[in-house]
Amino acid sequence: MFFRNFAAIMTVLPLAFTEETRRLMGDERFERYLQSFEEEPPVSIRLNPMKAGAMTVADGELVPWCLTGYYLKSRPNFTMDPLLHAGCYYVQEAASMFVDEVIRQCAKGHELHNALDLCAAPGGKSTLLRAALPESCMLYSNEPIRQRASILAENVGKWGYAGHVVTNCYPHDYRRAGMLFDLILCDVPCSGEGMFRKDPATIGEWSLQQVEKCRQLQREIVADAWACLRDGGILVYSTCTFNTKENEENIRWMLDEFDAEAIPIRTDAEWHITGSLLSGFTEPVYRFIPGITRSEGLFLCVVRKNGDTGHAARRADKLQLKGKVAQSLMPLEVLTGNYPLVDVSYQQAIAYLRREAIVLPADCPRGLVTVCFQGHPLGLAKNIGTRANNLYPKEWRIKTTHIPTDYEAILRHT
């Protein structure tokens, strides 16, 4: 659903939201924001550097704050692209990719041996983190809700990087485990104002009471995260909402409550990122507003924990999972292994992803094989000759009755 005139927009948006957001943004910004509802939301993807090194995006345009992000001219049927399921790219909103620029700048000035994504599902920022962090850095991605943690584990598994684990516990479980990290991402649950254009269903879930509820939860999560952050460590705080209660006021609370400082990120004026909207608050914060930036909504701030940054050798030690964190470790499916690689056609790839039995070439070895599309592994099958038993995870299978006759590639090989 898209809104095609201001009257329709103003009828749907809550009055309390429009009044407060107009006050915060000012008339000019707010009118540009409203204008964005008459435009199709931008479609963007992020390539997997480990798997898509030989690919370019057909008619794509680079997302300026992400080395591997691309805007697409239209939205294809991603579900029917085997390369998506192979983990060659991730469909991600462009503003969220700003984390790539943030991590690359932070990595230059800090030793990053261990990192934590505390509220990680469905996995967009986690897979981005894993690609942007130093190869030697261990990343722990956590999601408290079991069903969402399963989706996170699927996306992390398909992304395919070593040094990446998924857990399913609450932030306070990490705090109680006494694990310490050099970098923590808190992409906290929020009231979702920045997603109104992309997902109109979020409009009906918004209320002033929900904003206050989110603000309190966000502070609880940050307090747990702060206890898990090493001296000198970096906390990246982000939301997909506009109001200052969940954004600037929470950053001000952190700076008052903890021995912390907000650190700046270099940006380009052409990115049209908005700074603080809270009167009297001038710390470096970064707000993406639809209609001003080419994205949906995002707020982000980088905060450093002051204190002794010594004991580098100790920081380099591998963290030990403890307590409920260890008990909540999610298994990652094995999509490949030391098995023969068998490339299949597009139609066979879709049948495989639907978890149907497929017939492999006569010269294909018997036993376990890795099914591939255009050289990229999709998963395992057991070839018994007359057919291959499909070992693709049941919960991952695509459910569609319409199967295209050809493969219209989103990506083209160079």
Side-chain angles (χ1 to χ4, degrees):
M1 176 175 65
F2 298 103
F3 306 96
R4 295 303 181 189
N5 59 75
F6 285 166
I9 299 167
M10 298 301 289
T11 300
V12 172
L13 293 178
L15 180 61
F17 167 77
T18 58
E19 290 179 343
E20 177 62 14
T21 306
R22 182 183 288 276
R23 185 190 69 79
L24 285 175
M25 292 185 182
D27 288 339
E28 181 182 354
R29 279 200 193 103
F30 188 68
E31 291 300 322
R32 291 175 67 182
Y33 165 64
L34 290 182
Q35 183 68 39
S36 74
F37 282 83
E38 298 191 343
E39 304 164 356
E40 296 283 341
V43 180
S44 50
I45 64 171
R46 180 172 43 81
L47 301 184
N48 184 336
M50 186 175 68
K51 296 184 177 183
M55 297 180 179
T56 58
V57 180
D59 300 319
E61 180 182 343
L62 276 170
V63 174
W65 46 81
C66 180
L67 294 178
T68 55
Y70 290 86
Y71 293 107
L72 305 182
K73 289 186 175 180
S74 61
R75 187 177 188 89
N77 187 348
F78 288 117
T79 300
M80 303 307 289
D81 185 1
L83 295 182
L84 171 68
H85 301 280
C88 293
Y89 66 94
Y90 193 97
V91 183
Q92 186 172 29
E93 199 283 308
S96 296
M97 298 184 198
F98 183 57
V99 173
D100 181 71
E101 182 68 27
V102 170
I103 297 305
R104 294 185 189 280
Q105 290 191 31
C106 290
K108 290 180 180 179
H110 301 83
E111 294 184 51
L112 301 178
H113 300 293
N114 299 290
L116 170 64
D117 185 354
L118 202 50
C119 312
K125 291 186 179 68
S126 264
T127 53
L128 184 153
L129 273 176
R130 181 56 276 175
L133 286 166
E135 186 178 349
S136 60
C137 184
M138 188 74 182
L139 175 59
Y140 299 75
S141 294
N142 179 71
E143 171 55 45
I145 301 172
R146 182 73 182 188
Q147 184 177 5
R148 287 171 55 83
S150 296
I151 296 171
L152 172 63
E154 175 185 349
N155 288 325
V156 166
K158 289 179 176 179
W159 202 243
Y161 278 64
H164 198 172
V165 298
V166 174
T167 58
N168 169 221
C169 60
Y170 287 96
H172 62 247
D173 293 322
Y174 268 94
R175 181 175 189 168
R176 291 168 183 171
M179 301 172 68
L180 295 177
F181 297 88
D182 301 304
L183 182 141
I184 299 178
L185 171 62
C186 288
D187 184 39
V188 290
C190 69
S191 58
E193 297 165 356
M195 302 301 289
F196 282 1
R197 176 176 68 158
K198 182 180 178 181
D199 183 7
T202 59
I203 298 173
E205 300 169 359
W206 185 91
S207 68
L208 290 174
Q209 293 79 6
Q210 182 67 10
V211 169
E212 179 60 25
K213 181 180 178 180
C214 288
R215 185 179 74 92
Q216 293 296 337
L217 176 60
Q218 290 154 0
R219 295 189 179 190
E220 292 173 12
I221 292 172
V222 167
D224 287 328
W226 199 257
C228 298
L229 193 64
R230 294 190 188 279
D231 290 346
I234 298 295
L235 186 143
V236 180
Y237 177 88
S238 65
T239 73
C240 59
T241 205
F242 299 132
N243 68 78
T244 60
K245 289 183 179 294
E246 299 175 70
N247 294 325
E248 285 92 340
E249 292 178 42
N250 272 349
I251 300 301
R252 185 171 61 187
W253 168 80
M254 288 182 222
L255 302 182
D256 292 342
E257 185 76 10
F258 307 117
D259 185 12
E261 61 177 320
I263 60 177
I265 298 298
R266 296 184 303 277
T267 61
D268 192 313
E270 293 182 356
W271 300 352
H272 303 292
I273 299 174
T274 302
S276 175
L277 294 181
L278 179 62
S279 178
F281 186 83
T282 58
E283 298 291 346
V285 300
Y286 307 90
R287 184 183 266 98
F288 291 65
I289 301 173
I292 298 175
T293 49
R294 191 178 174 187
S295 69
E296 302 310 309
L298 176 82
F299 173 92
L300 185 144
C301 183
V302 183
V303 179
R304 179 167 54 210
K305 186 175 188 177
N306 293 323
D308 181 17
T309 60
H311 310 294
R314 179 174 62 84
R315 286 205 305 275
D317 293 340
K318 183 178 179 180
L319 288 182
Q320 297 297 315
L321 294 173
K322 302 174 184 177
K324 289 187 177 180
V325 175
Q327 297 168 15
S328 72
L329 190 66
M330 299 284 291
L332 298 180
E333 293 284 351
V334 177
L335 301 184
T336 184
N338 295 322
Y339 305 113
L341 304 179
V342 182
D343 218 62
V344 299
S345 68
Y346 175 66
Q347 288 294 315
Q348 286 177 306
I350 294 298
Y352 177 79
L353 294 170
R354 284 164 52 91
R355 213 170 184 276
E356 299 171 356
I358 58 175
V359 178
L360 298 176
D363 60 351
C364 179
R366 301 292 179 93
L368 289 176
V369 297
T370 300
V371 177
C372 303
F373 177 71
Q374 296 187 354
H376 296 284
L378 298 174
L380 300 178
K382 186 174 182 180
N383 185 31
I384 60 175
T386 56
R387 70 176 189 279
N389 292 333
N390 197 322
L391 302 181
Y392 195 66
K394 292 180 181 179
E395 60 274 18
W396 296 3
R397 70 184 180 91
I398 61 176
K399 303 172 183 177
T400 179
T401 56
H402 173 68
I403 303 177
T405 55
D406 326 273
Y407 176 51
E408 297 178 359
I410 300 168
L411 308 176
R412 70 170 183 267
H413 292 272
T414 56

